Amino acid sequence: MDRVRNLPPVRSWADESQQLPTRPRVLIGKENNGLLRAGHKMVITGPSKAGKSWLALELACALATGGEWLGYGCKPGRVIYVNLELDPSSRPHRLNTVWSSLYGEQEEGRDNLLSVDLRGEHWALGELCPALANRIAELAGNGGENPQGYISAIIIDPFYKAFDGDENSAGDVEDAMSEMDGLAAVTGAAVVFVHHHAKGTAGARKSIDRGSGSGVFARDPDAILDVSPISIDESGLELIGANHPDLTDPKPWRVSLTLREFRDLGPIDVLWAFPVHVLASEEDGLSGCDVEGSNPLAEKSRAYSSKGWHLKNEAIGIALARCDTEKVTATAKKVYDRMDWTGLQIVGLETFKRWLKNPRCEFESRETIPGSWVVTPRAVSD
């Protein structure tokens, strides 16, 4: 025990309970329903193609304008986006794309959104965090003595570019978290960082453990937002497309929340449709779906079912064409009699008729004239 550090004051509950301290303000959400406070840390984890950097830019825009992010209102304030990965000339174009999509030509809030481009430069967190604190103090003025509250949030994207340790080392990751804690303490700003998933099937893990590396990533941040793809079949994607005709090729993702300061109200399902993420609707039917990899048996069954319907539709189409060639009325019985069952399990006529009632069947039995039912291609509803 060559060196003894001094502890902060030891407080009694009798004293503390007389006047509870003021908690940091909520930046994302409200006091009874929020995600992040000023001075706290949040990590956004996800695989490639999840649009993590786009989601981080959406957050930067929402914090600058006081807009919404993932359905939560944000307190307007200054935010610094620390770009460690994008080409310095590309980052403003990407930001412009996001801003224009969300806020059009709105001018309010533009002055609040600050960026610094560090691609190609080696900045370890031990250097980056003090440098950011100094620059924020300069921007705040007052001789650089009191930068508290000048910046609401600092977004570091991506984390690995500023991390020079071993992701699997608890000690190295703890040191990195301490650097960001120090930055938050000096500036009063929330620190948000973007982190990638571990290799393999991340969905098989709990959402809190999907980030690559040490378990410290799952224990230290005050808020963990994991973005993972939702397992869905082609018919589900078609339904989403029909519900959101204004979106181009929307893909469903689930944002799972692990929160220290707020109650967990459940995951948030979003649609990633370049260049932004939008909230999914109840009509999209995602609440009953799993994250990819979390239920491999169901995914295998879904894939088999999808392939099975492809074969069924193909066989029915051939049988229907045979009826036409033979110039016979294409009743369910006549089509059934001309089925080629290669690759399919042979079923009875009544089961075959039930196939024609299934929405995944491309054919149906319709009453063309009173009392006459024939098999035709399924009518497409408007």
Side-chain angles (χ1 to χ4, degrees):
M1 296 178 62
D2 295 333
R3 179 172 174 269
V4 179
R5 296 174 61 185
N6 290 325
L7 286 172
V10 177
R11 307 181 188 278
S12 76
W13 173 236
D15 293 336
E16 285 188 321
S17 60
Q18 297 303 310
Q19 184 173 0
L20 296 176
T22 301
R23 290 187 289 187
R25 67 191 184 112
V26 180
L27 296 181
I28 308 174
K30 300 178 180 179
E31 188 64 50
N32 62 345
N33 177 23
L35 298 181
L36 184 67
R37 295 184 184 275
H40 289 195
K41 296 195 306 297
M42 181 170 79
V43 58
I44 300 172
T45 63
S48 61
K49 308 304 181 184
K52 298 187 296 297
S53 290
W54 295 92
L55 189 62
L57 285 173
E58 292 167 46
L59 172 60
C61 292
L63 288 169
T65 60
E68 282 198 359
W69 187 68
L70 299 178
Y72 288 81
C74 296
K75 300 295 188 300
R78 298 182 188 89
V79 54
I80 293 182
Y81 180 76
V82 183
N83 167 39
L84 293 156
E85 191 169 53
L86 299 176
D87 184 286
S89 63
S90 296
R91 191 268 310 155
H93 286 277
R94 182 177 290 204
L95 178 55
N96 183 61
T97 300
V98 173
W99 184 281
S100 298
S101 179
L102 294 174
Y103 304 107
E105 298 299 319
Q106 177 179 320
E107 291 294 328
E108 184 180 357
R110 290 178 187 255
D111 287 344
N112 283 340
L113 212 172
L114 312 175
S115 301
V116 57
D117 298 305
L118 300 176
R119 172 173 162 160
E121 302 183 29
H122 180 72
W123 283 88
L125 283 168
E127 302 171 307
L128 178 61
C129 290
L132 283 169
N134 290 340
R135 181 56 54 85
I136 291 170
E138 292 173 6
L139 293 171
N142 301 318
E145 294 181 0
N146 185 22
Q148 282 279 330
Y150 183 79
I151 296 291
S152 291
I154 301 164
I155 300 174
I156 299 174
D157 181 23
F159 171 82
Y160 81 91
K161 282 284 189 178
F163 182 62
D164 60 353
D166 178 0
E167 282 186 350
N168 296 301
S169 167
D172 287 354
V173 178
E174 284 172 1
D175 289 343
M177 297 296 139
S178 294
E179 292 290 348
M180 289 189 285
D181 280 334
L183 176 60
V186 169
T187 62
V191 177
V192 180
F193 63 99
V194 180
H195 188 45
H196 59 93
H197 271 180
K199 293 181 179 179
T201 307
R205 307 181 185 93
K206 292 183 179 179
S207 62
I208 195 174
D209 294 319
R210 290 174 190 158
S212 177
S214 166
V216 175
F217 285 110
R219 297 192 300 272
D220 191 273
D222 300 289
I224 300 172
L225 273 65
D226 177 77
V227 186
S228 292
I230 293 176
S231 179
I232 190 170
D233 59 20
E234 286 298 322
S235 62
L237 290 175
E238 290 174 2
L239 174 62
I240 290 173
N243 290 340
H244 304 272
D246 54 322
L247 299 180
T248 302
D249 193 26
K251 293 294 188 293
W253 295 76
R254 177 158 296 153
V255 182
S256 300
L257 312 176
T258 304
L259 308 173
R260 178 172 290 140
E261 288 281 317
F262 306 94
R263 56 179 178 159
D264 183 358
L265 297 179
I268 304 167
D269 290 338
V270 299
L271 304 176
W272 167 224
F274 179 85
V276 295
H277 299 74
V278 299
L279 294 176
S281 65
E282 290 185 9
E283 290 74 19
D284 295 327
L286 298 177
S287 59
C289 298
D290 299 310
V291 167
E292 283 186 10
S294 63
N295 193 342
L297 291 178
E299 289 179 22
K300 183 177 180 180
S301 175
R302 188 179 298 114
Y304 177 81
S305 177
S306 178
K307 180 180 178 182
W309 274 108
H310 173 76
L311 293 175
K312 291 173 185 176
N313 286 322
E314 187 175 51
I316 295 172
I318 293 172
L320 192 60
R322 287 173 177 166
C323 288
D324 184 61
T325 300
E326 298 173 17
K327 300 188 183 308
V328 298
T329 303
T331 63
K333 177 68 167 61
K334 296 290 181 60
V335 175
Y336 174 81
D337 289 340
R338 287 157 178 78
M339 284 284 290
D340 180 352
W341 297 97
T342 303
L344 293 170
Q345 180 180 352
I346 299 176
V347 299
L349 177 59
E350 293 306 312
T351 298
F352 177 76
K353 289 180 178 178
R354 286 195 291 271
W355 286 5
L356 298 173
K357 297 178 181 179
N358 193 301
R360 282 190 272 185
C361 184
E362 297 174 0
F363 303 88
E364 61 183 344
S365 182
R366 300 178 64 189
E367 189 176 22
T368 54
I369 58 175
S372 178
W373 292 78
V374 298
V375 176
T376 64
R378 184 173 298 276
V380 178
S381 58
D382 296 331

